[in-house]
Amino acid sequence: MRDTLAGAAALAALAAAVTPAMAQKVNPALVTESEKSGFKRTGRLAEVEVLNDAFVRAYPDAVRAITFGTSPEGRPMRALVVSRSGALTPEAARERGLPVILVQGGIHAGEIDGKDAGYLALRQMLDGQAAPGALEKQVVVFVPVYNVDGHERFNRWNRPNQRGPEEGGIRATAQNINLNRDYIKADAPETRAMLRLIDAWDPIVYTDLHVTNGANFEHDVSVQIEPGVAGDTTLAGVGRSLRDSILARLSKQGSLPLPFYPSLARPDDPAAGFVNSVYTPRYSTGYSQLRNRFSILLETHSWKEYPVRVRITRNYIVDLVEETAANGQAWLREARAADDRAKAMAGQDVVLDWKATDKAEMIDFRGYAYTRTPSAITGGVLIRYDETKPQIWRVPFRDELVPSITARLPLGGYVVQPAYADAVAPLLELHGISFRRLDKPLAATDVETYRADKVALDAMPNEGRQRAKVEGEWKSERRDIPAGSLFVPSGQPGARLVGTLFEPAGPDSLLAWGQFNNALQGGGGLPAYVAEDVALAQLRDPAIMAEFTQRLTRDPAFARDQRARIEFFARRHSSWNPDTRLYPVFRVANPKLGE
């Protein structure tokens, strides 16, 4: 009942915002299906092309429609470029020194608030009804629907946990890829198109518009930004300031915003409180900070009705544009300074993952009364919320975030072996990473190599990949480096991204995502009937006998594993390939390798 009333109030607020535009006889072609329906429905993908063309006709000096990619099912990926500055290309924006913000809707096509809110916000700003003068000081690149194939899987119940619109798309693409897990590996054609768009425009802010899942409570939106915890320390301070300004604006506009994603520590128990997190770079929110740019995750709350969510998202877009008009030039200066600092990061530590400590503070959180009862269906616990009874939850919040995995960048950079160079080079180009291909071999070069002592491949695929967990360490040796190898310097603006891609311990390294699984396979070994005699011969050596006996005694897993026992002896045989499980990426200390 309360959310029904909130929805009615939001619809009235949206109507109040829209009415002046109607009074000015705005071209009805600029009005979305959502707005026409009283924010009950959202339009199909065909509406995007129609609206984009209409915006160009209505504002020919301020809007340009572009197509930046094609989906696996052949659908165009469309965007609007909006600015009152006259700069409607990446080259013009750079020449004018203008900040660019990229506003992205529909990465999860069932969470489509951003599309309808974005068109409304842009129309009002172009008409001078919102953020007057702000579009003269920046460029807005608006992607109304990122996951275009998923958008067209229209159904009434694709998001049964979400209140409106009446029909919508789905989370994954036609290839069943979650685009918000694909920013590093870039398997999807959509991701590759988006990364090229990012590289072309170099947005100072990349904002991703979502709708939450989970518990029911009064808070209606969360705002998270990086750098804020992760990334360049100075930029993180700027990011927190921007986040706080956005939160303050949203509060004044009637929202109950949160500075963290409201993820319960235990999904079936609100009393367990919340745990903050830093997103890894497979997510949009974790990716941009590796390039010294800001990424903002906006999550409206799925239990709120569609007019409420569209109003909040519209307000946020206008707020961000106003903040960019006021501070965008300062952000650009800070980003350039962060780029320079990253160029000097060779030999320094990079953080590959974060975790929340057990330290908690008690917070007052605006929830609803709820009951927890046994579920006859699942055998677990069923939570039901009573939205007629607002309730303050006094709950723990684990907000202290610390690095959980770090690695030291090599003084020179990384060398990718020729057999894998053709697969890795396009990824580096997509990520804006500088590298060069060595045109001649380098003999007896000091390198660090990594051999996987233990390899565990996931039993089930994850986003189309078989992820790998490895244990090993970097060790110094001298090796020949073949011509055709790629040299990727550590010292460049994307230094953190370089470390993320190539350090094996990172959760989103290319190694972890299965890019090099072929290299992790065993070295052939000895047939069992041969191994027996080889092993008995080797065991005449007292040192080998002592080591084997110790492994049997102290390592039960080894003792149970016939293959591991054979490999113990195979490694000591002349037939053993010394490059077995060798990671085909080396570290070097020379920043001018091959020059």
Side-chain angles (χ1 to χ4, degrees):
M1 180 64 179
R2 287 178 60 86
D3 272 346
T4 300
L5 294 174
L11 184 56
L14 279 170
V18 169
T19 299
M22 294 303 186
Q24 295 177 24
K25 298 182 179 179
V26 168
N27 185 342
L30 304 178
V31 180
T32 63
E33 171 66 21
S34 179
E35 190 175 322
K36 292 173 186 175
S37 69
F39 300 94
K40 295 179 181 178
R41 298 188 296 274
T42 191
R44 300 297 293 264
L45 189 65
E47 180 187 42
V48 170
E49 180 180 9
V50 173
L51 283 167
N52 285 8
D53 290 345
F55 268 77
V56 172
R57 289 193 299 271
Y59 314 101
D61 297 329
V63 178
R64 179 175 174 234
I66 63 172
T67 299
F68 65 94
T70 304
S71 76
E73 293 187 332
R75 294 183 174 92
M77 301 173 67
R78 303 181 189 276
L80 281 181
V81 180
V82 180
S83 180
R84 289 288 189 190
S85 68
L88 296 176
T89 65
E91 297 77 16
R94 279 192 291 273
E95 184 179 343
R96 297 279 299 276
L98 291 172
V100 177
I101 64 172
L102 200 162
V103 179
Q104 175 181 284
I107 188 172
H108 295 153
E111 306 168 23
I112 204 60
D113 308 16
K115 176 185 68 173
D116 295 322
Y119 280 119
L120 177 59
L122 288 176
R123 190 188 73 208
Q124 292 174 340
M125 290 188 288
L126 285 163
D127 285 341
Q129 296 173 324
L135 291 177
E136 297 172 2
K137 300 177 181 179
Q138 66 194 288
V139 180
V140 178
V141 179
F142 173 51
V143 177
V145 182
Y146 179 14
N147 178 8
V148 291
D149 288 344
H151 187 279
E152 290 306 277
R153 302 295 201 275
F154 240 54
N155 197 303
R156 293 184 68 87
W157 296 109
N158 281 335
R159 292 267 296 172
N161 58 318
Q162 180 176 292
R163 290 172 171 166
E166 291 177 353
E167 294 180 287
I170 63 172
R171 186 179 184 87
T173 69
Q175 296 177 327
N176 204 29
I177 292 175
N178 184 339
L179 295 175
N180 204 27
R181 307 293 186 272
D182 198 40
Y183 279 83
I184 287 294
K185 58 188 179 68
D187 285 336
E190 297 95 329
T191 306
R192 296 192 289 271
M194 180 57 69
L195 290 175
R196 285 190 288 267
L197 187 71
I198 290 171
D199 202 49
W201 284 96
D202 190 21
I204 186 64
V205 178
Y206 177 35
T207 187
D208 197 7
L209 308 175
H210 285 253
V211 183
T212 65
N213 300 303
N216 195 2
F217 38 74
E218 288 195 293
H219 295 281
D220 49 19
V221 63
S222 67
V223 180
Q224 290 175 278
I225 191 168
E226 292 296 347
V229 175
D232 181 89
T233 303
T234 302
L235 276 189
V238 176
R240 291 191 297 272
S241 177
L242 169 57
R243 179 203 62 193
D244 292 345
S245 295
I246 293 289
L247 292 171
R249 286 174 177 267
L250 288 171
S251 294
K252 289 181 181 179
Q253 292 157 344
S255 285
L256 295 172
L258 292 167
F260 61 92
Y261 186 92
S263 177
L264 290 172
R266 290 195 298 272
D268 63 352
D269 187 6
F274 301 93
V275 182
N276 207 352
S277 63
V278 175
Y279 291 94
T280 61
R282 73 188 69 173
Y283 297 87
S284 65
T285 319
Y287 178 73
S288 291
Q289 57 92 4
L290 298 177
R291 301 180 71 153
N292 305 314
R293 303 297 184 264
F294 297 106
S295 182
I296 304 178
L297 173 65
L298 184 87
E299 294 266 5
T300 54
H301 191 33
S302 62
W303 290 73
K304 309 305 175 186
E305 293 188 342
Y306 197 50
V308 177
R309 305 199 318 266
V310 172
R311 172 181 58 81
I312 293 168
T313 306
R314 174 266 175 203
N315 289 345
Y316 162 75
I317 293 170
V318 173
D319 294 342
L320 178 60
V321 168
E322 289 184 330
E323 285 289 330
T324 304
N327 302 300
Q329 290 296 330
W331 298 342
L332 287 176
R333 289 192 295 272
E334 293 290 357
R336 286 192 288 267
D339 287 346
D340 290 338
R341 287 191 290 271
K343 293 176 186 177
M345 285 189 67
Q348 297 182 25
D349 286 347
V350 291
V351 179
L352 302 176
D353 202 7
W354 296 76
K355 67 177 181 181
T357 69
D358 292 332
K359 181 181 178 181
E361 61 174 321
M362 301 301 293
I363 62 170
D364 291 330
F365 190 89
R366 293 181 60 163
Y368 294 116
Y370 62 90
T371 59
R372 299 175 73 244
T373 58
S375 168
I377 302 301
T378 68
V381 175
L382 172 67
I383 301 181
R384 293 194 185 277
Y385 298 93
D386 186 347
E387 295 175 73
T388 67
K389 297 179 180 178
Q391 186 180 80
I392 299 297
W393 298 346
R394 184 72 175 169
V395 294
F397 178 40
R398 290 166 53 196
D399 188 35
E400 183 179 64
L401 297 163
V402 297
S404 60
I405 303 175
T406 60
R408 180 154 295 181
L409 290 172
L411 289 170
Y414 298 88
V415 177
V416 181
Q417 295 302 285
Y420 295 87
D422 286 346
V424 172
L427 278 171
L428 298 176
E429 291 170 349
L430 284 170
H431 289 303
I433 295 296
S434 297
F435 67 96
R436 62 180 180 269
R437 196 179 291 262
L438 302 182
D439 57 8
K440 58 184 179 180
L442 303 175
T445 304
D446 289 326
V447 301
E448 288 180 280
T449 60
Y450 183 100
R451 287 175 175 81
D453 299 323
K454 294 183 180 180
V455 178
L457 302 181
D458 284 358
M460 294 293 292
N462 185 329
E463 295 297 315
R465 298 280 189 118
Q466 188 179 28
R467 285 180 56 85
K469 297 180 179 68
V470 302
E471 294 181 20
E473 59 182 3
W474 293 103
K475 294 182 180 179
S476 297
E477 62 178 275
R478 292 176 69 82
R479 292 184 69 97
D480 295 339
I481 297 178
S485 298
L486 305 182
F487 175 59
V488 187
S490 298
Q492 56 178 299
R496 291 180 179 84
L497 182 49
V498 171
T500 293
L501 291 169
F502 292 122
E503 282 299 326
D508 281 339
S509 68
L510 294 179
L511 183 66
W513 273 113
Q515 187 77 33
F516 304 107
N517 279 1
N518 284 353
L520 300 179
Q521 295 177 156
L526 298 170
Y529 61 87
V530 175
E532 189 77 15
D533 292 337
V534 169
L536 290 172
Q538 290 184 10
L539 288 173
R540 297 189 188 109
D541 184 329
I544 295 177
M545 171 64 84
E547 185 178 351
F548 182 62
T549 303
Q550 186 179 67
R551 287 288 302 275
L552 290 174
T553 303
R554 297 185 178 181
D555 189 344
F558 172 79
R560 292 191 302 267
D561 190 336
Q562 294 184 26
R563 290 185 179 182
R565 291 167 71 147
I566 290 174
E567 186 174 309
F568 177 90
F569 299 102
R571 284 177 174 273
R572 291 159 175 80
H573 193 266
S574 59
S575 66
W576 180 257
N577 180 359
D579 288 348
T580 296
R581 300 194 189 96
L582 175 69
Y583 178 35
V585 177
F586 306 155
R587 294 161 48 110
V588 296
N590 181 4
K592 297 183 178 181
L593 188 75
E595 290 186 358

